[in-house]
Amino acid sequence: MAEDKPRVLKAPELPNVVKGDGRYLMTLLRQFLSDTAREVNLANGFTAEEIQSEGTGKVPTVKNFHLTFDRLGGLLAWDHTSKISDLAYYEIRTDKNVGSDSGLLERTRENTSTKLPLTYVGRVFCFVVLRDGEGSSGAEIRYTKARPSAPEDLALTKDQQGTLLSFLAIPLDCLGANVYINETKYPVTDNIFLYTGSEIIKTVRVAYYDQFGEGESTTIYCILPDVENFIVERNDSQLYFYWDAVPVHGVHYVVKVGTTPDWDKALTVFDTSDNKHRFIYPNVGDYYMLIKAVDEHNNYSQNAAYVFLTNQKDEHKNVIIELDQKASAYNGTKIGMYYDAAGEQLKLDKEVTHGEYLIDVELPQKYRARNWLDYACIGQTNESICLDDMNWAWDSIEASRTVWNGTVGDLKGVSVSQEIARYVGVGEDVLASAPLNGSLESAKGSGPSDSHNTVYAQGRWHSGLVVSDTMRLAYSCRVPRVFSLSFNLTVKQGFTDVLIATMEGDSGWLVLGYDARDACFYLRGSDGVTVRTSRSVPPNGREWYTVAVSQGEKKRTLYAYSLNYDTTVSGSVKAEPIGTFSTVYFYPKL
């Protein structure tokens, strides 16, 4: 038998093999491809010397168990067992449960197999099973096959038969390539493809594929694609333009305006190489804003994307609100300040250099915030006067006659170092927010499941619920396994050890609290995992905190932001979700 006499395949022998049996030819062809691709697989570490394991039972483990990827796919191979006469079959599996159909890839009496898991990363076991039912310990291969890289050197050539597409040769560990002409797929096994269709070629995309699927693709645009997701937003007299970048090198974009969506009749507004732009368009009325991409050869997109825009007269560039706080005896929230009734004025507390006076303001309509800041007063332009001489009141005649000269700064380039984003939920699956500002009802109109001694007091921005020793407050909720939850806290007279909130469900609970000794917030779970923030600034009086809890699939995180000191502390621990929660308590429940 040929299988009992291993042969070395040589190029001159191929003509004689063609005359023989077809199965023998495929065996030699696979052996030839395996030898050719061996250098590729050596880098991946799928060699027998590294993955074979000695058996500890009566039946010896197979030797030289190895995996090779070639142009025909992945091939598992091993040496026949020494007990070949008693062999029932070899079992190729993804686990060690010999005899089970779950995890079974193949049962065979051959010493090769093409059955592999359907993933780029996996492991394969080979077991020997004898006729009497005895089996060996498994030989294991752990493999990691790289996803096919993107083809290179794509080229199109037009001839009398059609359009010839060529690219670099298909890698030895891939089966072929998928050629997409206008997103119509044509599988090929060579790096040359002749397209004979009558459709005009707009895009050509090529991707290598192996037995696990496609790899990265390379695209050629024969016709410049249209711009997508074109958006125009209005902020006062400013127009903000956004769109998706066209995936072509060296393109720029031309934006036009017209009374109809006709590109040829529209007037050019601006030309930019970015995919966003800010522009002032002073004309009032209804207009179409149109955009096309232009490549480095001055080829335009076939169709123009457009947005219909109503540009109204800008009447609210600035809003001036005048509130007489003296008439109301300065009844707003005073931070680091007090009201002097005799002088009818606000004054700073002793040894305080910064004070805040907060009041509610009702705007006459909705406004969009502008990114300008008047941050410094450097003098006035009426006469040569020192700041020490400016001792008049704001509503005095002297102040009204003084023209202030300030410095206005642009906030462009300012970035947010940390941000806590509240999760507002989807549909009815989460607990709606409850502001606890004069009412216990949530935003969805549902009341608490338990409440006792709920007293309100003034906080930083508005009144809020006072957490006391006798207060009880609980809500029914539907918090999923993965969630984020935030609390706004106002501390009146410092913090001692306190339990802030408890979430409870059928699978366990989470307790949020503050540890006064370590000056940190903590989140303790029924699974034994405790998350602690780094040491926070301990409140010695008034303090304002935003505390947020985040539970992901693999990590549990706790944040705490101090408004008074403008600092954020956090802690994170790897932890699985405890489960869903049905009740949240704002008092020491557990």
Side-chain angles (χ1 to χ4, degrees):
M1 295 296 291
E3 288 78 5
D4 298 332
K5 298 179 180 180
R7 303 174 58 192
V8 178
L9 183 62
K10 299 180 180 179
E13 297 182 14
L14 285 176
N16 297 329
V17 173
V18 176
K19 300 178 182 178
D21 182 61
R23 292 183 59 190
Y24 187 66
L25 174 61
M26 291 301 296
T27 301
L28 291 179
L29 178 59
R30 178 174 286 281
Q31 180 183 349
F32 175 75
L33 292 174
S34 299
D35 293 339
T36 306
R38 189 174 301 278
E39 291 298 326
V40 177
N41 289 280
L42 283 175
N44 294 331
F46 307 141
T47 57
E49 291 76 15
E50 295 183 12
I51 49 80
Q52 72 178 17
S53 59
E54 296 293 339
T56 57
K58 297 181 181 180
V59 182
T61 306
V62 296
K63 305 293 184 180
N64 195 27
F65 185 38
H66 60 277
L67 169 61
T68 304
F69 290 102
D70 54 36
R71 287 294 302 273
L72 298 180
L75 175 67
L76 294 166
W78 60 91
D79 294 341
H80 271 302
T81 180
S82 58
K83 298 189 177 183
I84 187 66
S85 59
D86 297 327
L87 176 68
Y89 50 80
Y90 299 103
E91 193 161 298
I92 308 301
R93 309 185 54 81
T94 60
D95 54 33
K96 299 180 181 180
N97 301 325
V98 181
S100 174
D101 291 336
S102 176
L104 177 65
L105 295 174
E106 186 181 24
R107 292 189 177 102
T108 178
R109 287 182 56 83
E110 303 293 333
N111 64 333
T112 59
S113 176
T114 58
K115 303 295 183 180
L116 286 176
L118 301 178
T119 56
Y120 284 99
V121 179
R123 60 178 184 173
V124 183
F125 296 89
C126 179
F127 296 90
V128 179
V129 180
L130 302 183
R131 295 175 182 174
D132 58 4
E134 288 194 50
S136 68
S137 59
E140 179 184 3
I141 286 180
R142 293 179 181 266
Y143 70 89
T144 301
K145 186 180 184 300
R147 190 182 179 197
S149 58
E152 297 180 357
D153 297 345
L154 267 67
L156 296 178
T157 304
K158 192 79 173 178
D159 58 21
Q160 295 180 350
Q161 294 179 319
T163 302
L164 188 65
L165 172 67
S166 63
F167 46 93
L168 284 186
I170 298 174
L172 295 175
D173 59 348
C174 293
L175 305 180
N178 287 330
V179 177
Y180 295 86
I181 306 293
N182 300 338
E183 293 306 316
T184 301
K185 184 170 70 173
Y186 301 92
V188 298
T189 57
D190 203 350
N191 63 327
I192 297 178
F193 172 70
L194 179 64
Y195 175 71
T196 59
S198 58
E199 185 178 1
I200 297 177
I201 300 178
K202 298 181 179 179
T203 60
V204 177
R205 184 163 61 90
V206 181
Y208 299 128
Y209 68 88
D210 55 18
Q211 66 191 94
F212 302 116
E214 274 191 9
E216 300 293 333
S217 62
T218 301
T219 303
I220 292 180
Y221 292 92
C222 301
I223 296 180
L224 197 62
D226 299 335
V227 177
E228 296 182 352
N229 296 326
F230 182 43
I231 299 173
V232 182
E233 293 182 348
R234 180 178 179 271
N235 185 0
D236 294 333
S237 59
Q238 302 277 348
L239 296 181
Y240 292 84
F241 298 79
Y242 307 93
W243 59 90
D244 290 346
V246 174
V248 178
H249 175 72
V251 299
H252 59 101
Y253 306 91
V254 175
V255 174
K256 290 187 175 184
V257 61
T259 56
T260 61
D262 190 336
W263 179 263
D264 296 330
K265 296 180 180 179
L267 299 176
T268 300
V269 178
F270 61 85
D271 188 332
T272 179
S273 58
D274 297 327
N275 64 327
K276 61 182 179 179
H277 193 76
R278 185 177 66 178
F279 186 81
I280 298 178
Y281 188 70
N283 295 353
V284 177
D286 297 336
Y287 298 98
Y288 288 89
M289 294 291 177
L290 306 95
I291 186 172
K292 277 190 176 184
V294 186
D295 64 12
E296 54 190 359
H297 304 294
N298 207 33
N299 296 316
Y300 282 72
S301 302
Q302 187 173 5
N303 302 302
Y306 65 87
V307 171
F308 181 73
L309 176 69
T310 299
N311 198 24
Q312 300 176 352
K313 184 179 179 180
D314 188 7
E315 297 178 352
H316 299 285
K317 290 185 177 180
N318 296 291
V319 179
I320 299 176
I321 300 176
E322 183 177 350
L323 298 173
D324 188 359
Q325 290 300 295
K326 182 178 180 180
S328 61
Y330 298 95
N331 59 358
T333 302
K334 294 173 281 294
I335 302 173
M337 308 182 73
Y338 69 95
Y339 173 60
D340 183 0
E344 296 183 339
Q345 56 186 297
L346 287 177
K347 292 185 177 181
L348 290 175
D349 292 335
K350 291 183 178 180
E351 299 180 357
V352 173
T353 60
H354 175 75
E356 293 185 39
Y357 178 68
L358 306 174
I359 58 175
D360 291 331
V361 176
E362 295 292 337
L363 298 178
Q365 68 180 62
K366 291 184 177 179
Y367 296 93
R368 178 173 296 180
R370 305 179 68 182
N371 62 339
W372 295 90
L373 174 65
D374 187 4
Y375 72 91
C377 175
I378 60 175
Q380 50 84 36
T381 59
N382 286 54
E383 55 188 77
S384 58
I385 187 172
C386 298
L387 288 175
D388 291 340
D389 299 329
M390 298 179 186
N391 56 359
W392 52 73
W394 285 105
D395 55 354
S396 63
I397 297 177
E398 292 85 355
S400 63
R401 292 177 178 176
T402 302
V403 180
W404 297 98
N405 179 15
T407 301
V408 178
D410 190 354
L411 294 183
K412 182 178 179 182
V414 176
S415 61
V416 179
S417 58
Q418 293 193 30
E419 180 179 355
I420 298 177
R422 296 189 60 232
Y423 177 65
V424 297
V426 179
E428 301 294 330
D429 294 335
V430 296
L431 171 69
S433 61
L436 303 180
N437 181 15
S439 173
L440 297 179
E441 287 190 356
S442 67
K444 295 182 179 180
S446 59
S449 59
D450 183 19
S451 63
H452 176 72
N453 193 24
T454 54
V455 179
Y456 296 94
Q458 184 63 35
R460 182 180 181 84
W461 309 114
H462 52 70
S463 62
L465 190 68
V466 177
V467 179
S468 63
D469 295 339
T470 59
M471 186 214 74
R472 294 201 314 269
L473 182 63
Y475 287 91
S476 298
C477 59
R478 288 191 296 271
V479 180
R481 296 175 65 255
V482 177
F483 68 92
S484 61
L485 197 61
S486 67
F487 304 88
N488 295 316
L489 308 175
T490 297
V491 182
K492 292 293 186 180
Q493 298 178 354
F495 250 171
T496 58
D497 291 338
V498 61
L499 299 181
I500 301 171
T502 301
M503 289 184 293
E504 185 181 23
D506 295 336
S507 302
W509 44 263
L510 283 173
V511 174
L512 174 65
Y514 183 82
D515 188 337
R517 185 186 64 179
D518 295 336
C520 69
F521 290 90
Y522 65 87
L523 181 67
R524 184 172 68 249
S526 58
D527 56 356
V529 176
T530 299
V531 184
R532 288 180 174 269
T533 65
S534 53
R535 186 177 180 88
S536 63
V537 180
N540 297 321
R542 293 182 178 182
E543 178 60 294
W544 296 266
Y545 284 107
T546 297
V547 182
V549 178
S550 173
Q551 174 64 70
E553 290 291 350
K554 299 294 183 182
K555 185 170 65 173
R556 191 175 303 160
T557 308
L558 175 61
Y559 301 91
Y561 169 71
S562 169
L563 185 64
N564 203 24
Y565 293 93
D566 192 23
T567 58
T568 301
V569 292
S570 63
S572 182
V573 175
K574 292 183 178 180
E576 302 286 341
I578 291 179
T580 60
F581 298 101
S582 57
T583 309
V584 56
Y585 304 92
F586 294 98
Y587 62 94
K589 178 65 177 177
L590 298 175

